[in-house]
Amino acid sequence: MPQAVVIIGVQWGDEGKGKIVDYYASSADMVARFQGGNNAGHTLVVDGKKTILHLIPSGILHPHAKCLIGSGVVVDPENFLQEVEILRKAGIANLEERIYLSDRCHLIVDYHKHLDAARESKKAGKIGTTKRGIGPAYEDRASRRGLRVADLYNESAFEEKLKENLAEKNFLLKQYYGVESVSMESFLAKYKDIARKLKPFVRDVSAELFQAIDEDKKILYEGAQGVLLDVDYGTYPYVTSSQTLPSQAALGLGARVPKDTLFVGVIKAYSTRVGEGPFPTELTDAFGDQLRESGSEYGATTGRPRRCGWLDLVAVKYAVQVSGIKNLAITKADVLSGISELKVCIAYEYQGKRIHTIPADTSILSKVKPVYETLPGWNEDLTQVRNPQDIPQSLQNYLRFIENFTGTRINLVSTGAGREAVIDIQKAF
C-alpha cells in the first residue's frame, strides 16, 4: 500500500473531489491542500448532513485527521474563519490542534476582491471568475508585493507593505475602474483583529509535513479545480490562476512527496463546466437541463448552474497525459441510470480533420464538432451497490471503455452523494 495519495480533478473542476478525499481520509493521518483558494468548493454529505468547504481540507470531518493548508494556497482569512465557525457549530472539536495554516500562505484581502469584481464587470470577454480575488492575489505573489500570513505578526512591516499596495490598488479601483477605494485605517483595524483570531492555526506546515512523512504517516493530498483549469495546461485563458497538476503537491506544501505515492484523478461520468470557455460536448437542450437537475449541478462556491454535456474522453485523455495520472475515481455514475444510450466523445472534427487532443489555441476548441461513440446505458439503481461484482454489465462496459481509451485504471466508483455510496474496486491505502 502507498504511503501517500494525491487527489486531483481531471476535467474542469466540480468532479466531486471533496467526497473522494473524505472517503480516503478515513485511512489518512494528514490531509494536505496544496493550491487554489476559496474559489474551490467541496461538498460532503455524511449521515444525510451536507457540509460545504472552500479552504479547509475535506478530511476535517474525520476526528483523527490533521488538515494542512500549504503555501501554494491563497487564503481569504475571513472565509477561513467563517469555515472554522461553521465547523465549531457542527460539533467538530479540537480545530486549533487539527488545522495547520502555513505562515507562508499569501492573503486574499479586500482590494483583491474589489479588483476581481471590477475587472469582470468591465471587460467584454469575461473569464467567468468567482470574483473571490484569487487571480489578483496570485498576481501580487508573482510580482513580489503580496501580503503573507507571517506579515500579520510584524505590524510595522505589514503597515508599510499595505501602504505601498493601496497606493497602486486604489488608483486602479478609483481612476480606472471607477469604483470605491479601500481605506487604510479601517483595513489595519480589521486585519489586526483577524491576525489575533488566526494565530492558533498558524504553523510551519512544511516542517510539520516533513516530519509526518519521515515518520511514515499516511498523507492525503487534496487538489482544487481540475487539470483543464490549470494556468499552463488548461483551456487558457479560461482557467484558474494556479497550477492544478499533482506535481504541484510538493511545491505547494514545501516537502517532498513520498516515492510510493498513488496519483488518483477524479472524473465525473459525464462532463460539466462552470463559467465561460469552450466546452465541445455541451448540451444546451432539454437533456442538458435534465442532467443538471438530476445531478444537482450547481456550483458549491457560487451557486451558478453548471453547463452539462456528454463525457469528453479527448479532454480526459489529454489531462491524464499532462498530469501523469494512471488511476481514476468516477463520480455520479448513478445520475446516468435510466438513460438507454450514452454518448462519449472520442475525437473532434475541425476544418475536415480529426483532432485527438486539446489544442494550445483554445479558440479552436469552441469551433470543433465532437465525434461520438454510442454505448448502451443501464437501468439499475446504483445507490445501494457496494460490491464490484454487482456492477451492472453496461456500467462495467462503460468503465472499461474509459480505461482502454485513456490508458488508466478505475479504482473507485461513486454512486451517490453520501459518504457510504462507493464501490471501492482497488483500495488506495
Side-chain angles (χ1 to χ4, degrees), residues 95-272:
L95 294 176
E96 289 84 357
E97 288 78 44
R98 295 183 54 218
I99 300 173
Y100 296 176
L101 174 66
S102 173
D103 49 9
R104 288 178 166 83
C105 281
H106 279 254
L107 295 169
I108 300 170
V109 294
D110 292 348
Y111 53 73
H112 292 135
K113 291 178 271 190
H114 294 332
L115 278 171
D116 202 354
R119 286 175 181 171
E120 278 292 287
S121 299
K122 187 177 181 69
K123 70 174 108 179
K126 298 185 190 308
I127 299 296
T129 79
T130 57
K131 302 179 183 178
R132 302 297 173 95
I134 310 300
Y138 274 115
E139 288 173 28
D140 277 1
R141 185 178 84 156
S143 63
R144 301 176 299 282
R145 56 167 56 95
L147 297 170
R148 302 198 295 177
V149 170
D151 294 325
L152 290 169
Y153 305 101
N154 184 336
E155 289 188 27
S156 60
F158 184 79
E159 186 170 347
E160 187 60 34
K161 289 181 180 181
L162 179 61
K163 184 178 180 181
E164 184 178 335
N165 283 354
L166 279 179
E168 177 193 37
K169 308 305 183 190
N170 280 339
F171 178 82
L172 281 171
L173 288 168
K174 195 169 184 179
Q175 302 301 323
Y176 185 71
Y177 292 110
V179 296
E180 188 177 346
S181 58
V182 177
S183 160
M184 177 84 171
E185 292 72 23
S186 62
F187 193 107
L188 281 172
K190 176 179 177 179
Y191 281 87
K192 187 174 182 179
D193 183 52
I194 283 174
R196 178 183 58 80
K197 293 176 180 176
L198 278 186
K199 186 67 174 175
F201 302 97
V202 177
R203 302 281 205 291
D204 182 343
V205 161
S206 175
E208 299 279 358
L209 184 58
F210 182 87
Q211 182 179 343
I213 293 170
D214 204 42
E215 294 173 354
D216 293 322
K217 301 287 188 183
K218 297 287 188 183
I219 315 294
L220 183 60
Y221 296 86
E222 178 181 31
Q225 290 87 39
V227 172
L228 299 177
L229 293 177
D230 183 270
V231 69
D232 282 328
Y233 295 101
T235 50
Y236 190 90
Y238 301 98
V239 293
T240 192
S241 302
S242 61
Q243 316 271 180
T244 63
L245 274 60
S247 52
Q248 183 64 20
L251 294 173
L253 286 154
R256 64 178 175 84
V257 174
K259 289 183 179 179
D260 55 339
T261 295
L262 180 70
F263 298 97
V264 178
V266 184
I267 73 168
K268 206 170 279 184
Y270 46 98
S271 298
T272 62

Side-chain angles (χ1 to χ4, degrees), residues 4 18 80 85 121 133 142 160 170 231 276 293 344 384 399 401:
F80 174 86
E85 192 57 32
S121 299
E160 187 60 34
N170 280 339
V231 69
E276 307 301 320
E293 296 308 315
V344 176
Q384 301 305 314
L399 301 178
F401 190 91

Side-chain angles (χ1 to χ4, degrees), residues 320-333:
V320 164
Q321 170 193 317
V322 299
S323 65
I325 290 292
K326 288 294 183 183
N327 300 274
L328 296 178
I330 311 293
T331 62
K332 296 204 173 183

Side-chain angles (χ1 to χ4, degrees), residues 333-353:
D334 54 300
V335 175
L336 297 182
S337 291
I339 301 171
S340 59
E341 290 186 337
L342 302 172
K343 291 183 179 181
V344 176
C345 177
I346 57 169
Y348 306 137
E349 280 189 358
Y350 178 68
Q351 295 183 346
K353 295 181 180 179

Side-chain angles (χ1 to χ4, degrees), residues 72-86:
V73 180
V74 288
V75 173
D76 181 336
E78 293 180 277
N79 179 265
F80 174 86
L81 292 170
Q82 287 167 6
E83 287 192 23
V84 167
E85 192 57 32
I86 288 169

